[in-house]
């Protein structure tokens, strides 16, 4: 694979960075910051309750703390990187993630857990905002699609890893499970350490070429934010619903979480493949229809086929929606890289805000409704239906 020479910076030694190593670094960052730090909590939630570390409602609130931290990381990641450099920030955030997972091995009470779950979310938000934009400008243009897919696949494979490794680790106890996740995160941090590029090879900002379609941009922001609301029931409660709600046990719940992770692994590639043929706008609308069907399924049927389909579909679009929204921004703002970057930051912030608020809201509802999971999936479906309605109403010209 190609070697990319990078410009020297004060205090940096000029060195080549191999595209495969940069791709591996980005993959590791998404696997650690999102795949392990966030999504490994879902199969751990019923174990935390069963071991009497926390009540069901409190365990859900602690899961939401990670999403609140993600919002902080999404907002603060770029300012921190501007002071420390992207490479230093990325390394620091991966280290912080590993430390936060190790710290959760000690049941020192809800405030202790809240702080570390929040910090793991902050690190994950910063990693999500910084990893791909740091790596992709240093990758040859003909390889950027492949490398971008590798980076986002890290999330899905992290989910698969959490669903396969955690049941084995939990046989040794909750402490062993947290320690195992922390060690894995630190190993991936070491693997990625030398792969982060230094310097910047981003193209210079260009003047705005045309007036931005502000109405459609606002609709896209709202649609992406409502997606975050729709995914929360699966992201926080899927394994607990299957393990405790349906009484099928943690092993079965973890198996469905692996299916969710398989969907998340193939989602970005499959969504991009379809979008290349019919356009990002049409693909995004098709994705919303499929997501609504996937989210509502557990409220309507609990057969194996229904739960597999729901896990696979929602998992696919938790990651697959990211390249679709990015591609749609490029469709709406062609030839305007500076505005594309600004729009992506706005979309990410809107997503993070609604995700955090929805997580707290669903946790509150779950604690007050006696542990009934059905309304959570129905509300999530309604949010995605509203997302689709907003997107459709924003269209004025056919084919857009």
């Amino acid at each position: 694979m190609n070697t990319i020479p990078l410009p020297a910076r004060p205090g940096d030694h000029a060195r080549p960075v191999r595209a495969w190593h940069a791709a591996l670094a980005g993959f590791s960052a998404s696997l650690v910051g999102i795949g392990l730090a966030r999504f490994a909590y879902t199969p751990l939630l019923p174990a935390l309750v069963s071991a009497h570390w926390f009540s069901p409602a409190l365990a859900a609130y602690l899961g939401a703390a990670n999403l609140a931290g993600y919002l902080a990381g999404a907002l603060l990641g770029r300012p921190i990187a501007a002071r420390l450099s992207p490479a230093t920030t990325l390394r620091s955030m991966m280290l912080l993630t590993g430390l936060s997972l190790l710290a959760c091995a000690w049941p020192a009470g809800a405030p202790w857990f809240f702080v570390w779950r929040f910090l793991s979310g902050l690190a994950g938000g910063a990693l999500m905002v910084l990893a791909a934009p740091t790596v992709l400008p240093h990758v040859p243009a003909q390889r950027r699609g492949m490398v971008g897919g590798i980076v986002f696949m890290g999330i899905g494979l992290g989910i698969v890893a959490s669903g396969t490794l955690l049941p084995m680790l939990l046989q040794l106890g909750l402490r062993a499970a947290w320690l195992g996740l922390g060690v894995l995160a630190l190993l991936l941090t070491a693997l990625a350490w030398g792969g982060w590029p230094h310097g910047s090879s981003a193209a210079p900002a260009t003047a705005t070429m045309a007036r931005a379609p502000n109405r459609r941009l606002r609709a896209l922001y709202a649609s992406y934010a409502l997606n975050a609301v729709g995914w929360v029931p699966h992201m926080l409660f899927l394994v607990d619903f299957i393990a405790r709600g349906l009484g099928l046990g943690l092993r079965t719940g973890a198996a469905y979480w692996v299916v969710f992770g398989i969907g998340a692994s193939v989602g970005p590639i499959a969504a991009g493949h379809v979008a290349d043929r019919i356009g990002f706008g049409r693909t995004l609308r098709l994705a919303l229809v499929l997501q609504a069907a996937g989210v509502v399924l557990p409220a309507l049927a609990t057969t194996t086929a229904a739960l597999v389909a729901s896990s696979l579909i929602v998992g696919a679009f938790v990651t697959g929606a990211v390249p679709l929204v990015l591609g749609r921004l490029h469709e709406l703002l062609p030839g305007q890289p500076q505005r594309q970057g600004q729009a992506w930051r706005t979309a990410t912030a809107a997503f993070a805000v609604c995700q955090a608020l929805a997580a707290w809201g669903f946790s509150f509802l779950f604690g007050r409704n006696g542990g009934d999971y059905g309304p959570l999936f129905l509300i999530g479906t309604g949010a995605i239906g509203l997302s689709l309605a907003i997107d459709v109403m924003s269209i004025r010209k056919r084919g857009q």
Side-chain angles (χ1 to χ4, degrees), residues 132-146:
T134 298
V135 168
L136 293 180
H138 298 289
V139 174
Q142 67 272 21
R143 296 182 181 270
R144 286 179 185 170
M146 178 191 68

Side-chain angles (χ1 to χ4, degrees), residues 47-110:
L48 289 168
V49 175
S50 298
H52 305 292
W53 281 28
F54 305 109
S55 68
L58 183 54
Y61 276 119
L62 293 172
N66 178 270
L67 301 181
Y70 180 84
L71 169 59
L75 296 174
L76 296 175
R78 290 183 181 275
I80 294 172
R83 295 179 65 88
L84 301 180
S85 85
T88 300
T89 304
L90 287 159
R91 291 172 183 142
S92 300
M93 292 301 167
M94 291 186 75
L95 283 173
L96 177 59
T97 303
L99 179 61
S100 71
L101 293 170
L102 294 175
C104 287
W106 283 266

Side-chain angles (χ1 to χ4, degrees), residues 17-392:
V17 170
R18 293 187 180 277
W20 70 265
H21 202 175
L24 180 61
F27 167 86
S28 299
S30 64
L31 197 162
V32 168
I34 307 297
L36 297 181
R38 178 191 300 176
F39 287 117
Y41 189 81
T42 302
L44 278 172
L45 193 151
L48 289 168
V49 175
S50 298
H52 305 292
W53 281 28
F54 305 109
S55 68
L58 183 54
Y61 276 119
L62 293 172
N66 178 270
L67 301 181
Y70 180 84
L71 169 59
L75 296 174
L76 296 175
R78 290 183 181 275
I80 294 172
R83 295 179 65 88
L84 301 180
S85 85
T88 300
T89 304
L90 287 159
R91 291 172 183 142
S92 300
M93 292 301 167
M94 291 186 75
L95 283 173
L96 177 59
T97 303
L99 179 61
S100 71
L101 293 170
L102 294 175
C104 287
W106 283 266
W112 172 267
F113 255 72
F114 180 91
V115 169
W116 289 109
R117 293 303 297 158
F118 181 89
L119 289 175
S120 70
L122 184 148
L127 290 169
M128 195 65 173
V129 167
L130 294 173
T134 298
V135 168
L136 293 180
H138 298 289
V139 174
Q142 67 272 21
R143 296 182 181 270
R144 286 179 185 170
M146 178 191 68
V147 171
I150 291 171
V151 169
F152 291 119
M153 279 180 64
I155 300 173
L157 291 180
I159 297 171
V160 172
S162 67
T164 53
L165 292 176
L166 278 175
M168 293 184 289
L169 290 172
L170 284 170
Q171 293 181 7
L172 303 175
L174 265 174
R175 178 170 292 182
W178 284 112
L179 290 175
L181 290 174
V183 170
L184 178 57
L186 293 177
L187 288 174
L188 288 165
T189 301
L191 188 66
W193 195 269
W196 297 114
H198 290 278
S200 174
S201 62
T206 59
T208 299
M209 297 177 62
R211 183 176 179 83
N214 291 323
R215 177 178 53 82
R216 290 184 183 172
L217 282 177
R218 288 194 295 269
L220 185 60
Y221 300 151
S223 180
Y224 191 42
L226 285 166
N227 261 263
V229 178
W231 297 335
V232 167
H234 278 68
M235 289 166 55
L236 280 185
F237 296 101
L238 177 64
V239 176
D240 195 50
F241 166 66
I242 293 168
R244 294 194 311 116
L246 300 181
L248 298 178
L250 183 57
R251 281 187 174 275
T252 302
Y256 282 102
W257 192 240
V258 173
V259 174
F260 186 94
I262 292 170
S265 299
V266 302
I269 296 173
H273 181 74
V274 175
D276 284 340
R277 283 153 180 76
I278 68 173
F280 285 93
R282 290 192 181 102
T283 306
L284 187 57
R285 287 186 283 279
L286 174 61
L288 290 170
V289 172
L290 293 173
Q291 287 177 73
V295 173
V296 78
L297 265 175
L300 303 178
T302 56
T303 64
T304 299
L307 293 175
V308 167
S310 177
S311 302
L312 193 65
I313 291 169
V314 179
F317 290 110
V318 162
T319 52
V322 178
L324 290 181
V325 172
L326 279 168
R328 184 58 174 157
L329 285 173
H330 283 242
E331 286 182 343
L332 295 175
L333 297 167
Q336 302 178 62
Q338 185 177 23
R339 298 203 66 189
Q340 290 166 3
Q342 293 169 347
W344 176 238
R345 287 192 291 274
T346 302
T348 301
F351 177 94
V353 168
C354 282
Q355 181 178 243
L357 291 176
W360 287 101
F362 280 119
S363 299
F364 177 81
L365 176 61
F366 183 70
R368 291 297 183 94
N369 71 359
D372 187 357
Y373 300 88
L376 309 181
F377 294 112
L378 293 175
I379 294 171
T381 305
I384 293 177
L386 181 57
S387 171
L388 177 61
I390 290 172
D391 186 84
V392 170

